[in-house]
Amino acid sequence: SLYFYEVMIYLLDTWIVTPRAEIVQGMLQKLDLLPEKSHLKMLQQGIMAKIATPITFRNRLLTGQPAPDALIIDEAHHAVPRCKSYNAVVQYFQRNAELKLMGCTATPDRLDEAALGQMFESVAFEYQLDQAIADGWLVEIEQQFVTVEDMDLSCVRSQGDALNQTDLAEVMSES
């Protein structure tokens, strides 16, 4: 999927929204951009892109920013209408009637069954897990069951459709 990002950020004024800061850092590294000087280096290379979490866009970058040509939502399974941080970003950018919106996810089926079709009009490309294995991109699935007794997850808060990672790490370290 990085190839898509590369094409879009070199051809269009593109903003990439991703749910976690470490994903932002990973994208910048793959694009050979040093995180501490990423915007300067992006400009030097002719890249017209901003990469951040939805909360960063909402809180810091949206005020007065012109709407881009394209918005890529990485980990798009997080981008359903009830997720306020993504909705704020998408609604803000839809001021540009020509906005190209693209969502990328390896997990399109949400446990809460919220439909991505509420945010995206169509599926441009689908690559099934069994085909990726057959093509050699993924290894065969090996399933193992692990039973963990006496783990109390009742104090772990939820964030959207995921568990709070800090709370979860604390509970896991205690078990």
Side-chain angles (χ1 to χ4, degrees):
S1 64
L2 187 60
Y3 178 74
F4 268 135
Y5 296 144
E6 290 179 40
V7 169
M8 288 188 73
I9 65 175
Y10 279 102
L11 297 179
L12 301 168
D13 176 21
T14 301
W15 287 33
I16 301 173
V17 183
T18 189
R20 294 186 310 276
E22 61 268 17
I23 297 175
V24 173
Q25 298 301 320
M27 286 183 183
L28 293 173
Q29 288 171 352
K30 286 199 185 282
L31 294 168
D32 193 31
L33 302 171
L34 298 174
E36 64 273 6
K37 296 182 181 178
S38 59
H39 288 92
L40 175 61
K41 199 165 181 186
M42 290 171 104
L43 290 173
Q44 289 172 346
Q45 294 181 13
I47 299 173
M48 303 281 285
K50 291 185 171 95
I51 305 170
T53 64
I55 293 172
T56 299
F57 279 135
R58 189 182 71 198
N59 293 344
R60 298 186 190 145
L61 301 176
L62 293 181
T63 307
Q65 293 289 321
D69 299 321
L71 179 63
I72 299 172
I73 300 180
D74 186 48
E75 302 290 335
H77 56 278
H78 294 287
V80 294
R82 68 185 179 108
C83 183
K84 293 177 185 172
S85 58
Y86 281 93
N87 273 328
V89 174
V90 171
Q91 287 177 5
Y92 181 86
F93 289 135
Q94 285 177 332
R95 296 176 307 150
N96 175 356
E98 302 295 316
L99 178 73
K100 291 160 185 58
L101 178 64
M102 181 174 99
C104 300
T105 184
T107 52
D109 298 321
R110 293 172 47 102
L111 292 176
D112 64 2
E113 298 183 3
L116 294 179
Q118 295 172 322
M119 181 72 71
F120 304 99
E121 292 178 14
S122 63
V123 175
F125 181 74
E126 199 171 342
Y127 194 40
Q128 297 296 325
L129 186 60
D130 58 344
Q131 188 61 50
I133 293 169
D135 292 345
W137 289 103
L138 300 174
V139 298
E140 290 288 334
I141 297 172
E142 262 187 48
Q143 180 176 337
Q144 296 180 3
F145 290 96
V146 177
T147 302
V148 179
E149 296 183 25
D150 300 326
M151 182 181 294
D152 181 13
L153 297 176
S154 63
C155 61
V156 178
R157 296 170 289 169
S158 63
Q159 292 179 305
D161 63 341
L163 296 176
N164 179 287
Q165 295 299 302
T166 304
D167 293 355
L168 187 59
E170 187 174 322
V171 169
M172 297 293 288
S173 67
E174 293 171 0
S175 295

